[in-house]
Amino acid sequence: MAGSHSHKQDEDLKITPPLWLLAELTYKCPLQCPYCSNPVDMAKYSNELSTEDWLRVLREARELGATQLGLSGGEPLTRPDLDIIIKEARDLGFYTNLITSGVGMDEEKIKSFKEAGLDHIQVSFQASSEELNNFIAGTDAFQHKLEMAKLVKKYGYPMVLCFVLHRHNEDQVAEILDLAIALEADYVELATTQYYGWAMHNKEQLLPTREQIERAEKIAHEYQEKMKGKMRIFYVVPDYFEDRPKPCMNGWGNIFLTIAPDGTALPCHSARQLPGMEFPNVRDYSIEHIWYGSSDFNKFRGYGWMKEPCRSCDEKEKDFGGCRCQAYMLTGDPANTDPVCSKSPNHQALLDDVARIESDFLNHVEQKPLVFRNMRKSKELVND
Amino acid sequence: MNTELNNEAVPSISQQFRFQWEEVQKGYVILYPEGMVKLSGSAGEILRRVDGKTSIGSIINDLEQQFDGVDLKDDVYKFFEVAMENGWITLT
């Protein structure tokens, strides 16, 4: 059982500062992307932190050494106090990243955020074509996003464009990158869908085929070569198709601290689903206590909690055994090896599952419709 | 417009990057969208002299004075090459 591990083996465990603070300001969002990483039961956590709470969180995290700040959500633009939060963050010395869909943005906001000290804006797109973009987003946002991307550049921000890839747009990678070039993006993230939250719920309808992935990777590499020195392109193979796990969050409680909209502090944005955890809330505890003193943040730090095959693996310092949430979702125990690893006894079951989903798709087995992310649906799923 | 590394060139930190001291890390860092590079002590000493007004020659002189006349020319040029490659600085 996960709870029976002690930290005695980790007496020399050194806790490093939380360099990255992800402030999920809200779960509200005008978009309904079916791969959203927010929790499916997000409707339960609608009690958002106040402006004062957030300003205190920023001050305390900065004091501990946090340098990068992600302002995310949901859609952070739905918070009317966003400019106050940006200004405080900049005054404290954070590098401040706004991670937005662009919906709810206008020129006035882009300009006033710049004056408040915002460093960077990441705009997400759902696809390179208007029709697919608007279908996935569940709203007519494409033209507005194009306009916003142009304004982000006009006001001198470095711009990251983020495209989440899945079965329905994986074959558009060339068109996506052409669009990014036309919009003069500085960075493009071809962000493969990770199967957490709503994406996990829609896994059967989102998982691309192996052939799609190989094609997309080849095209991404061609563009990386072609755009060298002009635009940086990040493409990561979906981990379900790998045989070694990702070093998730660079290790549990190592550099990443997420604060959810209701103030719950998490080592990653999907950790709330793990069983037997009672993550601390910033309404009750200081960031210092949460980071250094809370049992849940210490739970998977270091290597003492590991089971075999991780415990004796010579790659454990490289990948930390992968992702705790994925281990839990796919094996029922978050202390197990992430089944993405070919050394995991559960790896074959994952391969079989991926093969079955691919075969169902290629053989046109009738698919359930995509479940779009919204509060109404979340309430339904909570009550199920 | 001077785009070659030489003693007369004047470097500035690129608009796309931020350079600052981090007290907790006890060092200078370069910040950019969702990323950070922690600089070595000597890299920090060089970059903190980059202000868009001081030439590379003056930066070298200043560093050599501070570090007891040791010849630092090659090290400084080597660092500026890396900084150019990464887009951290632009030259005028």
Side-chain angles (χ1 to χ4, degrees):
Chain A
M1 275 301 293
S4 65
H5 296 273
S6 81
H7 287 278
K8 284 194 196 104
Q9 304 96 322
D10 277 343
E11 271 161 3
D12 57 346
L13 182 65
K14 196 175 167 294
I15 302 175
T16 49
L19 298 179
W20 235 113
L21 176 64
L22 180 67
E24 292 187 323
L25 298 176
T26 180
Y27 284 143
K28 291 192 196 110
C29 185
L31 272 62
Q32 306 186 44
C33 308
Y35 50 72
C36 183
S37 62
N38 287 159
V40 172
D41 59 358
M42 62 191 184
K44 285 199 296 194
Y45 312 111
S46 55
N47 182 15
E48 288 184 10
L49 291 180
S50 68
T51 309
E52 271 315 305
D53 288 330
W54 277 117
L55 299 186
R56 180 173 49 82
V57 165
L58 295 183
R59 284 193 292 271
E60 292 180 0
R62 181 73 185 127
E63 237 167 72
L64 293 188
T67 310
Q68 285 281 348
L69 172 68
L71 298 171
S72 170
E75 173 50 68
L77 290 169
T78 64
R79 287 279 304 209
D81 54 359
L82 187 54
D83 53 342
I84 301 170
I85 291 171
I86 290 170
K87 176 141 193 349
E88 179 75 5
R90 185 61 186 87
D91 289 349
L92 289 165
F94 275 107
Y95 189 92
T96 307
N97 306 274
L98 177 63
I99 298 158
T100 176
S101 68
V103 176
M105 188 112 95
D106 54 34
E107 182 159 6
E108 204 178 313
K109 280 187 185 162
I110 293 177
K111 187 162 172 264
S112 75
F113 293 162
K114 186 83 189 176
E115 284 157 9
L118 182 64
D119 290 288
H120 148 234
I121 299 181
Q122 180 194 115
V123 184
S124 69
F125 276 80
Q126 283 64 43
S128 59
S129 72
E130 178 158 13
E131 193 187 354
L132 183 57
N133 186 90
N134 293 350
F135 169 71
I136 295 288
T139 175
D140 291 348
F142 188 69
Q143 291 300 334
H144 182 71
K145 282 166 180 283
L146 293 179
E147 265 173 60
M148 290 308 110
K150 286 174 195 157
L151 286 170
V152 167
K153 288 299 291 185
K154 178 179 160 190
Y155 282 89
Y157 292 98
M159 180 167 75
V160 176
L161 295 185
C162 177
F163 294 83
V164 176
L165 298 183
H166 44 76
R167 180 187 298 169
H168 306 281
N169 63 5
E170 190 87 35
D171 294 330
Q172 290 189 346
V173 165
E175 291 87 345
I176 283 171
L177 290 169
D178 288 338
L179 175 64
I181 293 169
L183 291 171
E184 298 175 61
D186 300 289
Y187 305 78
V188 185
E189 278 179 27
L190 298 171
T192 294
T193 299
Q194 307 262 358
Y195 295 95
Y196 302 94
W198 294 82
M200 189 64 176
H201 198 75
N202 286 307
K203 181 167 79 171
E204 311 256 334
Q205 294 86 270
L206 290 174
L207 196 71
T209 67
R210 196 171 282 274
E211 201 194 326
Q212 279 187 303
I213 284 169
E214 282 165 6
R215 240 183 353 242
E217 190 175 12
K218 193 166 158 274
I219 294 167
H221 287 158
E222 283 165 18
Y223 275 79
Q224 279 170 335
E225 206 45 48
K226 183 170 111 182
M227 295 306 291
K228 220 172 188 170
K230 285 178 251 171
M231 185 171 96
R232 291 191 68 185
I233 301 168
F234 300 98
Y235 175 85
V236 183
V237 177
D239 65 349
Y240 277 24
F241 295 86
E242 296 274 32
D243 54 16
R244 282 293 177 274
K246 57 182 179 276
C248 197
M249 310 317 283
N250 248 322
W252 178 275
N254 184 23
I255 54 173
F256 283 96
L257 172 62
T258 297
I259 308 296
D262 67 340
T264 303
L266 300 165
C268 80
H269 55 267
S270 74
R272 178 154 16 203
Q273 63 180 308
L274 298 178
M277 312 288 262
E278 281 177 54
F279 288 106
N281 194 295
V282 297
R283 296 183 215 253
D284 307 319
Y285 299 100
S286 70
I287 300 291
E288 183 173 17
H289 170 82
I290 287 168
W291 186 256
Y292 291 99
S294 75
S295 58
D296 287 342
F297 272 79
N298 279 318
K299 192 159 190 157
F300 299 115
R301 276 189 172 129
Y303 308 100
W305 56 270
M306 284 181 172
K307 303 206 260 182
E308 291 297 349
C310 288
R311 181 184 288 264
S312 59
C313 180
D314 60 4
E315 293 174 59
K316 68 181 173 192
E317 289 171 33
K318 203 167 83 185
D319 59 35
F320 315 103
C323 168
R324 295 309 91 226
C325 301
Q326 198 144 279
Y328 169 64
M329 285 188 289
L330 299 177
T331 77
D333 182 349
N336 277 340
T337 299
D338 184 336
V340 163
C341 185
S342 62
K343 296 181 181 183
S344 158
N346 303 96
H347 184 63
Q348 190 56 46
L350 176 62
L351 291 184
D352 292 347
D353 197 38
V354 168
R356 178 190 56 77
I357 292 172
E358 173 163 333
S359 141
D360 281 359
F361 169 58
L362 294 175
N363 293 312
H364 307 287
V365 173
E366 199 183 335
Q367 302 273 313
K368 283 184 295 180
L370 281 168
V371 175
F372 285 88
R373 171 232 193 261
N374 57 52
M375 284 297 170
R376 185 176 44 79
K377 194 72 205 170
S378 175
K379 280 176 199 151
E380 271 176 47
L381 292 167
V382 169
N383 294 328
D384 272 355
Chain B
M1 187 82 182
N2 194 339
T3 52
E4 298 228 334
L5 280 173
N6 54 47
N7 273 358
E8 283 71 49
V10 175
S12 336
I13 307 280
S14 306
Q15 214 198 348
Q16 306 277 325
F17 292 90
R18 214 164 92 197
F19 168 74
Q20 72 183 30
W21 173 259
E22 281 300 300
E23 186 55 35
V24 172
Q25 300 184 60
K26 295 274 178 270
Y28 286 99
V29 295
I30 293 264
L31 297 164
Y32 52 93
E34 296 170 45
M36 170 164 65
V37 175
K38 189 176 177 197
L39 296 167
S40 67
S42 50
E45 283 300 321
I46 299 169
L47 268 191
R48 92 185 167 83
R49 287 167 168 78
V50 169
D51 58 4
K53 288 176 246 166
T54 312
S55 69
I56 290 182
S58 308
I59 289 173
I60 293 170
N61 282 340
D62 191 31
L63 283 162
E64 288 181 344
Q65 264 177 25
Q66 183 172 339
F67 296 99
D68 305 324
V70 184
D71 182 1
L72 295 170
K73 193 164 180 269
D74 288 354
D75 292 342
V76 174
Y77 270 94
K78 216 183 266 169
F79 172 74
F80 275 127
E81 268 171 41
V82 174
M84 293 273 286
E85 263 173 40
N86 286 301
W88 300 339
I89 57 161
T90 51
L91 300 178
T92 47

